[in-house]
Amino acid sequence: MLRFGTAGLRGPLQDGPDGMNLDTVSRTTAGLVEWLRGRCLGGGAVVVGRDARHGSAEFAIATAEIFAAAGFPVTLLPRPLPTPIVAYAVRELGAVAGVQITASHNPATDNGYKVYLDGGSQLLAPADTEIERCIEAVTEPIARTPVGPAADDLVRRYIDRVARLPELIGGPGERSDVRIVLTPLHGVGGDTAVAALTAAGFKHVHVVGAQFAPDAGFPTVAFPNPEEPGATDLLLATATRIGADLAIALDPDADRCAIGITDGDGGWRMLRGDETGVLLGDYVLRTAPPDALVATTIVSSRLLSKLAAARGARYAETLTGFKWLARAGDGLVYAYEEAIGHCADPAAVRDKDGISAAVLAADLVARLKAAGRTLADELDDYAVEFGLHATDQVSLRLPDPAAAADLVNRLRAAPPDEIAGEPVEYTDLLQVRGRMRTDALIFEGANSRIVVRPSGTEPKLKCYLEVVEPVATRDALATARASAERRLAELRAYCGRLAQ
């Protein structure tokens, strides 16, 4: 059967207990009902939303009706909407749970069932295994009571909150002359993102027409993930054609956001998640309280930790995933993960939110443009101040998840003393206690770092790479970038040999 793991269920649309289908969704909801009752949360408010994938409407209606039959007041969102709206609504309404039917950026053949608990954060262990046991104990029949869709009020409140974010963080500013191009990659974020950007004062928001309307088949991309090669080709072509200042790509459920910038020579490139992460983190910290907290994960760049120290802020590092980042500590003002997930307004959304990240990035671009600067200028400044931090990722696809775990165990049994000619220190996160314990290995040299772990969702071994090159002046940036790329190539080669 599909396992109730990180944030819920995700899997192929197919019959049987190992697939996403009406029976799986119904049993899962009935199990979640019993788990909530077991914690004296029966009868609490519940929010249900969905994306536009195959089966999402049917699954969302079933989920809402099963909760209603069990005595829970249900807010069924009125149409396909971004995942962050469910996270927002759970927090805004004081709901005991929220469910979003979505498979995020998975292939068109998949769907999923994502769960939020009170406060609007993703569930943590041991809740996942406890709920799974409740699902296994479900017996037929499962009652349903009809539920009508809610009004648009929650959606408007969410958009208003996101639109106010630039003024909450940066204060009043001129935004009308910034040219933005946006793609939702056939997902559900387009209308909401355009509405939020427009309400925030951006008057020139262009869209990639061929990818704007929700389409469960994702016809123009091989894989609906902004990080995948080719996924943002239409976006960057449109940005070039209209002379944009900023390009934005949302993933299909709009909880992740990728940013594209001009390279200064007429071309465009997408920023890595770590680059966007430090740009937005620094922007938030400029007006944050002195003891503000920013956070990222063990597989992200170390640059945010250096920037936080320089700005007088606190820094936290967690395991991968926003179920950890959203709980990084009191005073959290910003969190990100390298996989283009950004929590830019944790007071309102305790999860990654691509739409608020897009609005915040657009505001930063507007303020820089007014000063005659760009995001690229900011990144160059960080390189001079903190050293050039260059990152990359290697994913080795394997026959099954067990093969990835075996590779990590082999590396654990015989860890290297050096990698690419540099001595490294070795940390095994299975040997630590508390929340940081996980199946991952860290190899750290004087100016390089590799984190190796098996994927939690796919049969892959994932290697996260970072090298740091000192930069004395801006004139030395080209040399530093060339050196960093050579060193990253050596680390990529080392990781590629792990599966041989």
Side-chain angles (χ1 to χ4, degrees), residues 73-392:
V74 178
T75 297
L76 175 62
L77 295 182
R79 57 185 180 279
L81 287 164
T83 293
I85 295 181
V86 172
Y88 167 83
V90 171
R91 194 168 180 84
E92 178 76 359
L93 299 177
V96 298
V99 174
Q100 172 80 345
I101 304 299
T102 181
S104 189
H105 54 279
N106 275 39
T109 51
D110 288 0
N111 212 325
Y113 185 105
K114 185 172 185 178
V115 177
Y116 293 95
L117 298 183
D118 59 309
S121 296
Q122 298 177 26
L123 73 162
L124 273 179
D128 49 3
T129 54
E130 292 170 353
I131 295 170
E132 193 169 81
R133 286 195 292 270
C134 291
I135 295 169
E136 291 170 349
V138 169
T139 57
E140 301 290 351
I142 300 171
R144 292 172 59 164
T145 296
V147 176
D152 261 0
D153 178 58
L154 269 172
V155 181
R156 288 194 297 269
R157 283 151 64 185
Y158 168 81
I159 291 171
D160 288 345
R161 172 71 188 198
V162 173
R164 291 199 310 271
L165 188 58
E167 295 205 5
L168 291 174
I169 290 175
E174 176 55 50
R175 305 177 182 100
S176 62
D177 67 338
V178 174
R179 298 176 68 82
I180 300 167
V181 60
L182 178 141
T183 178
L185 287 183
H186 302 291
V188 296
D191 287 338
T192 306
V194 170
L197 286 163
T198 302
F202 297 98
K203 305 301 184 186
H204 302 288
V205 182
H206 304 260
V207 301
V208 179
Q211 297 177 332
F212 191 76
D215 190 325
F218 305 106
T220 68
V221 292
F223 200 85
N225 181 348
E227 295 181 292
E228 290 291 320
T232 58
D233 286 356
L234 288 178
L235 172 72
L236 299 185
T238 306
T240 301
R241 178 172 54 80
I242 70 168
D245 298 298
L246 178 67
I248 298 169
L250 304 174
D251 75 338
D253 71 330
D255 66 350
R256 302 198 306 154
C257 173
I259 297 300
I261 65 171
T262 179
D263 60 11
D265 296 321
W268 282 76
R269 73 176 183 95
M270 300 302 295
L271 297 183
R272 299 188 67 85
D274 284 314
E275 293 176 305
T276 303
V278 74
L279 286 164
L280 297 186
D282 193 21
Y283 188 38
V284 170
L285 283 177
R286 291 176 189 180
T287 55
D291 63 343
L293 175 69
V294 293
T296 190
T297 73
I298 60 169
V299 302
S300 300
S301 169
R302 305 303 89 193
L303 179 53
L304 185 64
S305 65
K306 297 178 182 179
L307 184 141
R311 305 297 189 258
R314 293 178 295 130
Y315 169 80
E317 191 170 297
T318 75
L319 298 180
T320 56
F322 270 86
K323 64 181 181 180
W324 301 109
L325 282 171
R327 298 173 172 91
D330 293 337
L332 182 69
V333 296
Y334 177 76
Y336 90 91
E337 60 183 359
E338 53 79 38
I340 61 174
H342 309 275
C343 179
D345 186 15
V349 178
R350 284 270 164 169
D351 196 17
K352 54 186 177 291
D353 181 352
I355 293 172
S356 64
V359 171
L360 195 62
D363 189 57
L364 175 56
V365 167
R367 294 178 188 278
L368 291 172
K369 185 175 182 180
R373 290 174 56 79
T374 66
L375 294 180
D377 293 328
E378 292 284 286
L379 292 171
D380 288 349
D381 286 350
Y382 299 146
V384 174
E385 185 175 1
F386 304 111
L388 176 68
H389 289 62
T391 60
D392 203 354

Side-chain angles (χ1 to χ4, degrees), residues 388-421:
L388 176 68
H389 289 62
T391 60
D392 203 354
Q393 183 185 142
V394 175
S395 292
L396 303 177
R397 184 167 289 279
L398 300 165
D400 53 60
D406 287 345
L407 272 181
V408 174
N409 285 332
R410 280 164 38 196
L411 199 55
R412 178 177 284 119
D417 296 323
E418 66 173 41
I419 296 175

